[in-house]
Amino acid sequence: MKTQQHYQAEAQVAKALAHPSRLMMLDLLGKSEMSVTEITKAVGADQSTVSKHLAILKDAGLIGVRKEGTANYYRVTSRCLGGLFTCLKAMVVSDVKRRQASLFASEM
């Protein structure tokens, strides 16, 4: 049986995932290690915002950082994120199809 502490840890990961920019960052970092500058350009946000998002992802244990000189390079540390993104996509597609079917049925 899971403890309250276990559910709190899972909630921290779920909260870290609950932002579109952080999902985008995880998707990018799942493909390759990137510097903060590269992530900032890809996401289209300012560096301080990106750094805050990266800190949340790091605190949740989803990413790691490697220092090289003055640059920080981030990478995904969780191997199961690919499956998570596949699952999320399937859920979104299923929901869109359900909504389309409902809309089509109401037009008849």
Side-chain angles (χ1 to χ4, degrees):
M1 184 168 163
K2 293 181 184 179
T3 66
Q4 182 69 19
Q5 194 173 25
H6 185 90
Y7 287 111
Q8 287 174 342
E10 288 179 344
Q12 182 183 8
V13 172
K15 284 185 211 177
L17 295 170
H19 193 283
S21 293
R22 291 194 289 266
L23 287 175
M24 182 180 185
M25 289 176 198
L26 286 171
D27 196 24
L28 292 166
L29 294 172
K31 295 173 181 133
S32 68
E33 183 179 75
M34 296 175 76
S35 70
V36 175
T37 303
E38 293 169 324
I39 298 166
T40 299
K41 287 179 187 173
V43 173
D46 60 86
Q47 188 168 340
S48 66
T49 301
V50 168
S51 292
K52 288 175 189 173
H53 285 309
L54 290 170
I56 290 168
L57 294 171
K58 187 173 179 280
D59 288 345
L62 295 167
I63 62 171
V65 62
R66 173 180 65 84
K67 281 187 127 346
E68 188 174 299
T70 59
N72 289 326
Y73 291 88
Y74 290 86
R75 69 192 177 290
V76 167
T77 56
S78 177
R79 296 180 186 257
C80 65
L81 286 178
L84 173 68
F85 281 112
T86 300
C87 181
L88 288 173
K89 181 180 178 181
M91 290 187 328
V92 169
V93 167
S94 176
D95 185 55
V96 167
K97 286 180 181 178
R98 181 188 58 77
R99 289 173 190 256
Q100 286 175 335
S102 176
L103 181 62
F104 181 72
S106 68
E107 290 179 352
M108 295 184 114

XYZ file of all heavy atoms in Angstrom:
820
model
N 0.845 -1.181 0.000
C 0.000 0.000 0.000
C 0.894 1.250 0.000
O 1.884 1.325 0.703
C -0.893 -0.007 1.233
C -1.847 1.122 1.260
S -3.077 0.853 2.557
C -3.708 2.467 2.683
N 0.495 2.218 -0.792
C 1.249 3.465 -0.883
C 0.996 4.322 0.354
O -0.099 4.339 0.892
C 0.840 4.253 -2.122
C 1.227 3.602 -3.420
C 0.783 4.493 -4.571
C 1.054 3.858 -5.905
N 0.589 4.714 -7.009
N 2.015 5.068 0.722
C 1.886 5.986 1.854
C 1.472 7.374 1.373
O 1.553 7.679 0.175
C 3.227 6.106 2.601
O 4.175 6.734 1.715
C 3.746 4.755 3.062
N 1.066 8.196 2.305
C 0.725 9.588 1.997
C 1.928 10.290 1.366
O 1.781 11.079 0.431
C 0.283 10.317 3.278
C -0.141 11.740 3.058
C -1.449 11.866 2.285
O -2.242 10.934 2.198
N -1.674 13.022 1.700
N 3.119 9.977 1.849
C 4.348 10.576 1.323
C 4.549 10.205 -0.149
O 4.975 11.031 -0.946
C 5.532 10.113 2.166
C 6.782 10.907 1.951
C 7.864 10.502 2.946
O 7.871 9.403 3.467
N 8.773 11.420 3.192
N 4.212 8.971 -0.499
C 4.326 8.531 -1.891
C 3.379 9.345 -2.785
O 3.762 9.794 -3.861
C 4.012 7.037 -1.999
C 4.216 6.496 -3.367
N 5.414 5.983 -3.792
C 3.385 6.420 -4.435
C 5.313 5.606 -5.043
N 4.091 5.858 -5.459
N 2.138 9.535 -2.321
C 1.178 10.319 -3.103
C 1.608 11.782 -3.213
O 1.395 12.423 -4.242
C -0.228 10.211 -2.507
C -0.859 8.867 -2.750
C -1.079 7.994 -1.701
C -1.226 8.462 -4.033
C -1.660 6.746 -1.921
C -1.799 7.223 -4.262
C -2.013 6.368 -3.202
O -2.573 5.142 -3.422
N 2.233 12.302 -2.168
C 2.742 13.668 -2.237
C 3.844 13.785 -3.277
O 3.903 14.766 -4.029
C 3.254 14.114 -0.858
C 2.134 14.379 0.119
C 2.640 14.679 1.525
O 3.774 14.390 1.866
N 1.771 15.249 2.352
N 4.723 12.787 -3.355
C 5.788 12.792 -4.361
C 5.197 12.708 -5.770
O 5.655 13.407 -6.683
C 6.754 11.638 -4.112
N 4.178 11.869 -5.950
C 3.520 11.773 -7.251
C 2.836 13.085 -7.620
O 2.860 13.505 -8.784
C 2.508 10.627 -7.257
C 3.158 9.259 -7.266
C 2.162 8.119 -7.245
O 0.961 8.349 -6.916
O 2.573 6.995 -7.556
N 2.233 13.745 -6.640
C 1.575 15.029 -6.891
C 2.585 16.083 -7.313
O 2.285 16.919 -8.176
C 0.808 15.485 -5.649
N 3.782 16.051 -6.738
C 4.820 17.015 -7.123
C 5.191 16.824 -8.593
O 5.343 17.801 -9.328
C 6.061 16.860 -6.241
C 7.144 17.874 -6.588
C 8.418 17.699 -5.780
O 8.584 16.739 -5.039
N 9.321 18.645 -5.925
N 5.300 15.575 -9.032
C 5.604 15.307 -10.445
C 4.441 15.770 -11.316
O 4.646 16.421 -12.342
C 5.907 13.811 -10.666
C 6.021 13.490 -12.154
C 7.187 13.415 -9.934
N 3.216 15.467 -10.897
C 2.039 15.878 -11.681
C 1.973 17.401 -11.799
O 1.684 17.928 -12.877
C 0.764 15.333 -11.040
N 2.266 18.114 -10.716
C 2.269 19.583 -10.762
C 3.350 20.093 -11.716
O 3.137 21.061 -12.439
C 2.509 20.165 -9.372
C 1.318 20.119 -8.457
C 1.662 20.850 -7.164
C 0.945 20.288 -5.994
N 1.323 20.948 -4.737
N 4.499 19.441 -11.698
C 5.590 19.855 -12.595
C 5.193 19.665 -14.050
O 5.611 20.437 -14.920
C 6.861 19.070 -12.284
N 4.372 18.675 -14.323
C 3.935 18.398 -15.690
C 2.775 19.299 -16.133
O 2.464 19.366 -17.316
C 3.499 16.943 -15.822
C 4.589 15.896 -15.636
C 3.975 14.508 -15.551
C 5.615 15.973 -16.753
N 2.175 20.000 -15.195
C 0.932 20.724 -15.466
C 1.142 22.126 -16.023
O 0.457 23.070 -15.623
C 0.094 20.778 -14.186
N 2.053 22.272 -16.960
C 2.246 23.565 -17.617
C 2.724 23.309 -19.048
O 3.654 22.528 -19.259
C 3.274 24.409 -16.856
C 3.276 25.835 -17.286
N 3.864 26.258 -18.463
C 2.744 26.932 -16.707
C 3.694 27.562 -18.585
N 3.022 27.989 -17.534
N 2.097 23.949 -20.036
C 2.465 23.704 -21.437
C 3.951 23.952 -21.734
O 4.570 23.178 -22.479
C 1.590 24.676 -22.228
C 0.485 25.051 -21.315
C 0.993 24.897 -19.915
N 4.523 24.997 -21.160
C 5.944 25.280 -21.424
C 6.844 24.183 -20.868
O 7.830 23.790 -21.489
C 6.353 26.630 -20.825
O 5.701 27.673 -21.495
N 6.491 23.661 -19.688
C 7.308 22.597 -19.110
C 7.171 21.305 -19.911
O 8.144 20.575 -20.104
C 6.951 22.391 -17.638
C 7.394 23.573 -16.782
C 7.363 23.280 -15.302
N 6.046 23.163 -14.730
C 5.371 24.152 -14.154
N 5.897 25.365 -14.082
N 4.184 23.940 -13.643
N 5.974 21.032 -20.408
C 5.804 19.854 -21.276
C 6.647 19.998 -22.540
O 7.291 19.049 -22.990
C 4.327 19.651 -21.629
C 3.430 19.133 -20.513
C 1.982 19.105 -20.975
C 3.877 17.763 -20.044
N 6.648 21.202 -23.098
C 7.456 21.457 -24.291
C 8.936 21.253 -23.984
O 9.672 20.638 -24.768
C 7.207 22.866 -24.809
C 7.951 23.202 -26.064
S 7.548 24.903 -26.560
C 8.415 25.007 -28.098
N 9.385 21.775 -22.844
C 10.788 21.615 -22.455
C 11.148 20.144 -22.292
O 12.205 19.698 -22.766
C 11.062 22.358 -21.146
C 11.042 23.848 -21.284
S 11.256 24.613 -19.655
C 10.653 26.247 -20.014
N 10.281 19.377 -21.657
C 10.544 17.946 -21.485
C 10.600 17.237 -22.825
O 11.437 16.348 -23.033
C 9.469 17.311 -20.598
C 9.558 17.645 -19.122
C 8.322 17.141 -18.392
C 10.822 17.059 -18.515
N 9.722 17.608 -23.725
C 9.721 17.012 -25.058
C 11.036 17.319 -25.773
O 11.665 16.434 -26.353
C 8.521 17.530 -25.852
C 8.209 16.694 -27.073
O 8.569 15.501 -27.107
O 7.588 17.238 -28.001
N 11.470 18.561 -25.714
C 12.735 18.965 -26.334
C 13.924 18.246 -25.700
O 14.798 17.724 -26.396
C 12.937 20.478 -26.208
C 11.998 21.376 -27.006
C 12.104 22.812 -26.517
C 12.310 21.279 -28.486
N 13.942 18.218 -24.379
C 15.064 17.609 -23.668
C 15.069 16.086 -23.800
O 16.104 15.454 -23.620
C 15.044 18.012 -22.189
C 15.293 19.490 -21.938
C 15.050 19.832 -20.468
C 16.694 19.890 -22.368
N 13.930 15.522 -24.127
C 13.867 14.081 -24.383
C 14.571 13.703 -25.667
O 14.977 12.561 -25.858
N 14.747 14.686 -26.540
C 15.418 14.451 -27.824
C 16.910 14.708 -27.737
O 17.695 14.037 -28.391
C 14.781 15.320 -28.901
C 13.340 14.929 -29.170
C 12.663 15.886 -30.119
C 11.222 15.437 -30.307
N 10.287 16.505 -30.193
N 17.310 15.711 -26.942
C 18.735 16.004 -26.795
C 18.966 16.936 -25.615
O 18.082 17.678 -25.206
C 19.298 16.649 -28.064
O 18.755 17.942 -28.250
N 20.165 16.881 -25.089
C 20.587 17.793 -24.035
C 20.641 19.205 -24.627
O 21.036 19.383 -25.771
C 21.970 17.357 -23.552
C 22.510 18.162 -22.416
C 23.876 17.669 -21.977
O 24.860 17.943 -22.698
O 23.954 17.021 -20.929
N 20.235 20.190 -23.825
C 20.202 21.567 -24.323
C 20.650 22.535 -23.234
O 20.442 22.300 -22.048
C 18.785 21.945 -24.765
C 18.247 21.147 -25.928
S 16.516 21.546 -26.291
C 16.704 23.125 -27.123
N 21.210 23.657 -23.678
C 21.571 24.729 -22.748
C 20.338 25.582 -22.468
O 19.344 25.531 -23.198
C 22.670 25.600 -23.350
O 22.151 26.358 -24.432
N 20.433 26.385 -21.423
C 19.337 27.294 -21.084
C 19.059 28.236 -22.251
O 17.902 28.510 -22.581
C 19.666 28.093 -19.802
C 18.597 29.128 -19.525
C 19.817 27.165 -18.612
N 20.105 28.717 -22.908
C 19.938 29.620 -24.051
C 19.169 28.936 -25.168
O 18.246 29.531 -25.757
C 21.317 30.095 -24.567
O 22.015 30.730 -23.491
C 21.175 31.062 -25.716
N 19.502 27.691 -25.467
C 18.798 26.943 -26.521
C 17.339 26.705 -26.150
O 16.445 26.848 -26.999
C 19.500 25.599 -26.767
C 20.879 25.728 -27.361
C 21.664 24.431 -27.344
O 21.540 23.640 -26.367
O 22.410 24.202 -28.315
N 17.105 26.369 -24.894
C 15.730 26.135 -24.437
C 14.925 27.425 -24.505
O 13.776 27.436 -24.960
C 15.718 25.560 -23.003
C 16.426 24.206 -22.968
C 14.300 25.430 -22.477
C 16.757 23.719 -21.566
N 15.532 28.518 -24.084
C 14.866 29.823 -24.104
C 14.429 30.183 -25.523
O 13.295 30.624 -25.739
C 15.803 30.904 -23.523
O 16.113 30.560 -22.174
C 15.158 32.271 -23.545
N 15.315 29.988 -26.491
C 14.966 30.280 -27.892
C 13.844 29.376 -28.380
O 12.915 29.829 -29.046
C 16.200 30.109 -28.782
C 17.210 31.211 -28.631
C 18.413 30.965 -29.526
C 19.514 31.980 -29.264
N 20.751 31.666 -29.992
N 13.920 28.095 -28.062
C 12.923 27.131 -28.540
C 11.545 27.393 -27.934
O 10.534 27.275 -28.626
C 13.378 25.708 -28.222
N 11.511 27.757 -26.663
C 10.238 27.973 -25.969
C 9.661 29.349 -26.274
O 8.452 29.541 -26.280
C 10.418 27.760 -24.443
C 9.171 28.127 -23.668
C 10.814 26.324 -24.156
N 10.537 30.318 -26.516
C 10.069 31.670 -26.814
C 9.673 32.449 -25.576
O 8.784 33.290 -25.625
N 10.332 32.161 -24.476
C 10.075 32.880 -23.227
C 11.380 33.528 -22.771
O 12.443 33.223 -23.306
C 9.563 31.911 -22.164
N 11.284 34.394 -21.775
C 12.505 35.018 -21.284
C 13.276 34.025 -20.409
O 12.719 33.049 -19.906
C 12.203 36.307 -20.517
C 11.323 36.075 -19.310
O 11.855 35.751 -18.242
O 10.091 36.206 -19.461
N 14.556 34.287 -20.243
C 15.440 33.338 -19.562
C 15.052 33.110 -18.101
O 15.143 31.994 -17.611
C 16.895 33.789 -19.658
C 17.856 32.730 -19.138
C 19.293 33.014 -19.489
O 19.581 33.771 -20.403
N 20.205 32.404 -18.762
N 14.587 34.141 -17.418
C 14.218 33.954 -16.011
C 13.019 33.024 -15.870
O 12.973 32.188 -14.960
C 13.945 35.298 -15.330
O 12.805 35.925 -15.876
N 12.064 33.139 -16.777
C 10.895 32.251 -16.768
C 11.313 30.818 -17.060
O 10.880 29.876 -16.378
C 9.844 32.728 -17.791
O 9.444 34.060 -17.448
C 8.636 31.814 -17.817
N 12.154 30.643 -18.069
C 12.642 29.310 -18.417
C 13.400 28.703 -17.239
O 13.204 27.528 -16.900
C 13.518 29.353 -19.693
C 14.263 28.045 -19.905
C 12.647 29.678 -20.908
N 14.237 29.486 -16.596
C 15.006 28.997 -15.447
C 14.088 28.552 -14.315
O 14.351 27.533 -13.661
C 15.970 30.071 -14.949
O 16.976 30.294 -15.910
N 13.006 29.274 -14.075
C 12.043 28.888 -13.036
C 11.377 27.558 -13.393
O 11.227 26.677 -12.542
C 10.982 29.974 -12.844
C 11.517 31.209 -12.155
C 10.475 32.300 -12.084
C 11.077 33.592 -11.588
N 10.154 34.712 -11.647
N 10.980 27.408 -14.649
C 10.378 26.147 -15.090
C 11.373 24.999 -14.955
O 11.009 23.901 -14.498
C 9.921 26.250 -16.550
C 8.669 27.049 -16.742
N 7.508 26.838 -16.030
C 8.379 28.068 -17.600
C 6.571 27.679 -16.424
N 7.082 28.438 -17.390
N 12.620 25.230 -15.348
C 13.634 24.184 -15.243
C 13.858 23.787 -13.784
O 14.044 22.594 -13.486
C 14.943 24.649 -15.889
C 14.907 24.773 -17.416
C 16.167 25.478 -17.917
C 14.738 23.415 -18.088
N 13.815 24.738 -12.882
C 13.986 24.433 -11.453
C 12.852 23.541 -10.952
O 13.089 22.595 -10.184
C 14.051 25.729 -10.645
N 11.642 23.803 -11.392
C 10.487 22.987 -11.000
C 10.658 21.562 -11.527
O 10.433 20.587 -10.797
C 9.175 23.623 -11.500
C 8.899 24.907 -10.719
C 8.000 22.648 -11.377
C 7.806 25.783 -11.299
N 11.060 21.436 -12.786
C 11.271 20.110 -13.375
C 12.402 19.363 -12.673
O 12.312 18.154 -12.437
C 11.559 20.236 -14.876
C 10.412 20.761 -15.728
C 10.894 21.038 -17.156
C 9.251 19.773 -15.731
N 13.449 20.091 -12.317
C 14.593 19.481 -11.624
C 14.187 19.034 -10.228
O 14.516 17.925 -9.799
C 15.758 20.460 -11.566
C 17.036 19.863 -11.021
C 18.190 20.857 -11.158
C 19.467 20.288 -10.609
N 19.564 20.369 -9.168
N 13.453 19.876 -9.495
C 12.997 19.527 -8.146
C 12.087 18.303 -8.147
O 12.056 17.553 -7.170
C 12.261 20.705 -7.495
C 13.199 21.831 -7.093
O 14.429 21.618 -7.047
O 12.692 22.946 -6.834
N 11.353 18.115 -9.239
C 10.466 16.954 -9.354
C 11.226 15.700 -9.794
O 10.643 14.623 -9.869
C 9.338 17.253 -10.342
N 12.511 15.850 -10.097
C 13.323 14.699 -10.484
C 13.181 14.290 -11.941
O 13.571 13.194 -12.319
N 12.626 15.180 -12.761
C 12.399 14.850 -14.172
C 13.589 15.173 -15.066
O 13.733 14.580 -16.138
C 11.153 15.580 -14.679
C 9.846 15.140 -14.008
C 8.729 16.115 -14.332
C 9.489 13.737 -14.429
N 14.408 16.133 -14.652
C 15.571 16.508 -15.451
C 16.804 16.640 -14.558
O 16.689 16.795 -13.340
C 15.352 17.843 -16.226
C 15.117 19.015 -15.267
C 14.212 17.705 -17.238
C 15.110 20.383 -15.951
N 17.948 16.579 -15.192
C 19.219 16.793 -14.515
C 19.981 17.881 -15.229
O 19.639 18.267 -16.351
N 21.025 18.369 -14.599
C 21.808 19.461 -15.165
C 23.281 19.101 -15.097
O 23.735 18.444 -14.175
C 21.519 20.802 -14.444
C 21.904 20.729 -12.985
C 22.184 21.967 -15.132
N 23.991 19.547 -16.118
C 25.443 19.374 -16.189
C 26.037 20.742 -16.447
O 25.610 21.456 -17.348
C 25.773 18.419 -17.343
C 27.249 18.270 -17.633
C 27.494 17.302 -18.789
N 26.969 17.774 -20.065
C 27.600 18.604 -20.898
N 28.784 19.090 -20.582
N 27.058 18.943 -22.049
N 27.021 21.115 -15.634
C 27.696 22.407 -15.816
C 28.918 22.222 -16.702
O 29.654 21.262 -16.549
C 28.142 22.972 -14.474
C 27.038 23.630 -13.683
C 27.617 24.291 -12.471
C 27.316 25.695 -12.233
N 26.781 26.641 -13.036
N 29.066 23.144 -17.635
C 30.252 23.182 -18.487
C 30.676 24.642 -18.569
O 30.051 25.432 -19.277
C 29.950 22.613 -19.869
C 31.184 22.443 -20.731
C 30.870 21.744 -22.037
O 30.413 20.587 -22.000
O 31.071 22.380 -23.093
N 31.708 24.979 -17.821
C 32.103 26.390 -17.733
C 30.997 27.172 -17.064
O 30.564 26.833 -15.964
N 30.510 28.200 -17.732
C 29.421 29.000 -17.171
C 28.050 28.541 -17.661
O 27.029 29.072 -17.221
C 29.610 30.487 -17.542
O 29.632 30.611 -18.964
C 30.883 31.047 -16.940
N 28.022 27.570 -18.569
C 26.758 27.107 -19.154
C 26.204 25.901 -18.398
O 26.958 25.060 -17.903
C 26.958 26.750 -20.617
N 24.887 25.838 -18.309
C 24.187 24.689 -17.745
C 23.492 23.949 -18.877
O 22.778 24.563 -19.682
C 23.142 25.132 -16.717
C 23.761 25.653 -15.455
O 24.814 25.179 -15.034
N 23.122 26.629 -14.831
N 23.692 22.641 -18.929
C 23.057 21.802 -19.943
C 22.086 20.854 -19.250
O 22.463 20.144 -18.317
C 24.111 21.016 -20.725
C 24.944 21.906 -21.610
C 26.100 22.512 -21.134
C 24.545 22.174 -22.917
C 26.856 23.345 -21.942
C 25.294 23.003 -23.732
C 26.442 23.590 -23.234
O 27.187 24.429 -24.037
N 20.853 20.859 -19.726
C 19.792 20.061 -19.122
C 19.482 18.843 -19.972
O 19.608 18.868 -21.194
C 18.538 20.918 -18.930
C 18.720 21.954 -17.857
C 19.280 23.197 -18.153
C 18.366 21.682 -16.543
C 19.473 24.137 -17.163
C 18.559 22.631 -15.550
C 19.113 23.848 -15.864
O 19.310 24.771 -14.884
N 19.036 17.780 -19.286
C 18.667 16.537 -19.956
C 17.561 15.866 -19.142
O 17.433 16.090 -17.939
C 19.869 15.607 -20.068
C 20.307 15.056 -18.731
C 21.647 14.365 -18.734
N 22.035 13.935 -17.422
C 22.391 14.713 -16.406
N 22.410 16.018 -16.557
N 22.725 14.213 -15.240
N 16.789 15.041 -19.804
C 15.752 14.261 -19.136
C 16.428 13.123 -18.367
O 17.342 12.481 -18.882
C 14.740 13.709 -20.171
C 13.846 12.654 -19.556
C 13.907 14.833 -20.759
N 15.980 12.891 -17.150
C 16.530 11.799 -16.354
C 15.547 10.643 -16.203
O 15.932 9.570 -15.772
C 16.929 12.287 -14.942
O 15.786 12.884 -14.323
C 18.066 13.287 -15.019
N 14.311 10.864 -16.562
C 13.285 9.837 -16.451
C 13.074 9.164 -17.806
O 12.759 9.826 -18.785
C 11.973 10.456 -15.960
O 10.973 9.477 -15.914
N 13.242 7.860 -17.838
C 13.114 7.114 -19.094
C 11.661 6.893 -19.535
O 11.416 6.534 -20.664
C 13.814 5.767 -18.973
C 15.302 5.897 -18.764
C 15.935 4.527 -18.651
N 17.324 4.642 -18.301
C 18.323 4.489 -19.169
N 18.063 4.197 -20.411
N 19.565 4.607 -18.774
N 10.720 7.124 -18.664
C 9.330 6.805 -18.998
C 8.573 7.960 -19.645
O 7.400 7.822 -19.980
C 8.581 6.318 -17.763
S 8.405 7.559 -16.476
N 9.219 9.097 -19.860
C 8.510 10.251 -20.416
C 8.020 10.018 -21.838
O 6.979 10.543 -22.228
C 9.379 11.507 -20.357
C 9.536 12.104 -18.959
C 10.466 13.311 -19.006
C 8.200 12.507 -18.375
N 8.762 9.236 -22.613
C 8.305 8.934 -23.977
C 6.940 8.277 -23.957
O 6.040 8.629 -24.726
N 6.759 7.337 -23.049
C 5.467 6.669 -22.896
C 4.392 7.621 -22.417
O 3.240 7.531 -22.839
N 4.772 8.546 -21.553
C 3.823 9.543 -21.065
C 3.323 10.416 -22.212
O 2.126 10.635 -22.352
C 4.458 10.417 -19.988
C 3.608 11.607 -19.537
C 2.375 11.140 -18.775
C 4.423 12.562 -18.698
N 4.236 10.885 -23.061
C 3.833 11.735 -24.185
C 2.970 10.955 -25.179
O 2.011 11.492 -25.735
C 5.047 12.354 -24.875
C 5.606 13.537 -24.136
C 6.845 13.475 -23.523
C 4.892 14.710 -24.029
C 7.352 14.563 -22.819
C 5.377 15.806 -23.335
C 6.615 15.730 -22.730
N 3.274 9.686 -25.386
C 2.456 8.840 -26.261
C 1.049 8.709 -25.685
O 0.056 8.834 -26.402
C 3.096 7.450 -26.427
O 4.394 7.621 -27.006
C 2.259 6.546 -27.298
N 0.968 8.498 -24.383
C -0.323 8.374 -23.708
C -1.104 9.684 -23.772
O -2.301 9.687 -24.058
C -0.104 7.936 -22.253
S -1.627 7.714 -21.325
N -0.444 10.803 -23.490
C -1.114 12.108 -23.552
C -1.677 12.384 -24.943
O -2.804 12.857 -25.089
C -0.154 13.225 -23.144
C 0.210 13.312 -21.671
C 1.298 14.363 -21.459
C -1.001 13.641 -20.825
N -0.882 12.076 -25.967
C -1.341 12.296 -27.341
C -2.569 11.447 -27.634
O -3.549 11.937 -28.204
C -0.219 11.967 -28.326
C -0.615 12.190 -29.764
C 0.519 11.867 -30.709
C 0.073 12.043 -32.146
N 1.137 11.713 -33.100
N -2.543 10.193 -27.215
C -3.686 9.303 -27.449
C -4.931 9.822 -26.736
O -6.041 9.777 -27.291
C -3.350 7.890 -26.983
N -4.767 10.336 -25.519
C -5.915 10.867 -24.783
C -6.477 12.104 -25.462
O -7.696 12.263 -25.567
C -5.522 11.170 -23.332
C -5.280 9.918 -22.521
S -4.995 10.111 -20.742
C -4.185 11.653 -20.551
N -5.618 12.985 -25.952
C -6.072 14.207 -26.627
C -6.797 13.842 -27.926
O -7.881 14.372 -28.207
C -4.893 15.167 -26.890
C -5.296 16.292 -27.819
C -4.362 15.724 -25.577
N -6.231 12.947 -28.710
C -6.857 12.528 -29.964
C -8.224 11.897 -29.689
O -9.209 12.199 -30.366
C -5.931 11.564 -30.750
C -6.682 10.885 -31.884
C -4.712 12.318 -31.269
N -8.288 11.039 -28.683
C -9.548 10.391 -28.325
C -10.595 11.416 -27.911
O -11.757 11.338 -28.318
C -9.304 9.399 -27.191
O -10.507 8.831 -26.750
N -10.184 12.410 -27.132
C -11.109 13.444 -26.688
C -11.604 14.284 -27.860
O -12.790 14.607 -27.941
C -10.442 14.341 -25.634
C -11.402 15.362 -25.064
O -12.477 14.963 -24.568
O -11.088 16.566 -25.132
N -10.718 14.630 -28.773
C -11.115 15.406 -29.955
C -12.127 14.618 -30.780
O -13.155 15.154 -31.217
C -9.884 15.811 -30.796
C -10.301 16.327 -32.159
C -9.049 16.843 -30.059
N -11.856 13.325 -30.981
C -12.788 12.486 -31.755
C -14.147 12.395 -31.071
O -15.183 12.462 -31.725
C -12.198 11.095 -31.950
C -11.079 11.063 -32.952
C -10.524 9.654 -33.108
C -9.379 9.633 -34.113
N -8.786 8.294 -34.246
N -14.136 12.256 -29.742
C -15.383 12.179 -28.995
C -16.169 13.481 -29.138
O -17.369 13.471 -29.381
C -15.092 11.888 -27.521
C -16.345 11.763 -26.656
C -16.008 11.666 -25.176
N -15.238 12.788 -24.667
C -15.735 14.004 -24.383
N -17.009 14.258 -24.601
N -14.963 14.954 -23.897
N -15.463 14.608 -29.039
C -16.133 15.908 -29.166
C -16.675 16.110 -30.586
O -17.768 16.646 -30.767
C -15.183 17.037 -28.793
C -14.873 17.098 -27.311
C -13.785 18.126 -27.029
N -13.303 18.052 -25.686
C -13.628 18.917 -24.729
N -14.437 19.920 -24.989
N -13.144 18.783 -23.526
N -15.915 15.701 -31.584
C -16.368 15.820 -32.967
C -17.611 14.965 -33.199
O -18.563 15.408 -33.835
C -15.266 15.413 -33.942
C -14.165 16.435 -34.067
C -13.026 15.955 -34.947
O -12.792 14.763 -35.104
N -12.284 16.900 -35.506
N -17.596 13.745 -32.678
C -18.747 12.858 -32.837
C -19.968 13.445 -32.157
O -21.080 13.403 -32.697
C -18.424 11.475 -32.273
N -19.774 14.022 -30.988
C -20.878 14.634 -30.251
C -21.431 15.840 -31.013
O -22.638 16.019 -31.116
C -20.393 15.052 -28.875
O -21.403 15.726 -28.176
N -20.551 16.642 -31.562
C -20.949 17.818 -32.329
C -21.714 17.394 -33.577
O -22.757 17.948 -33.901
C -19.731 18.651 -32.701
C -19.986 19.933 -33.476
C -20.821 20.900 -32.667
C -18.663 20.589 -33.851
N -21.202 16.388 -34.280
C -21.833 15.893 -35.504
C -23.210 15.337 -35.184
O -24.171 15.583 -35.913
C -20.952 14.841 -36.165
C -21.518 14.308 -37.439
C -21.537 15.086 -38.589
C -22.054 13.034 -37.496
C -22.067 14.596 -39.776
C -22.602 12.534 -38.678
C -22.610 13.320 -39.809
N -23.313 14.614 -34.074
C -24.602 14.010 -33.691
C -25.630 15.085 -33.340
O -26.805 14.938 -33.636
C -24.410 13.062 -32.508
N -25.193 16.191 -32.759
C -26.133 17.249 -32.370
C -26.588 18.069 -33.578
O -27.599 18.759 -33.492
C -25.502 18.161 -31.314
O -24.431 18.902 -31.878
N -25.862 17.991 -34.696
C -26.253 18.733 -35.903
C -27.314 17.998 -36.702
O -27.916 18.573 -37.582
C -25.024 18.975 -36.779
C -24.050 19.977 -36.184
C -22.822 20.195 -37.054
O -22.646 19.466 -38.058
O -22.040 21.100 -36.734
N -27.527 16.742 -36.404
C -28.479 15.946 -37.191
C -29.878 16.195 -36.789
O -30.427 16.596 -35.974
C -28.155 14.460 -37.084
C -26.823 14.143 -37.702
S -26.538 12.391 -37.643
C -26.563 12.054 -39.388
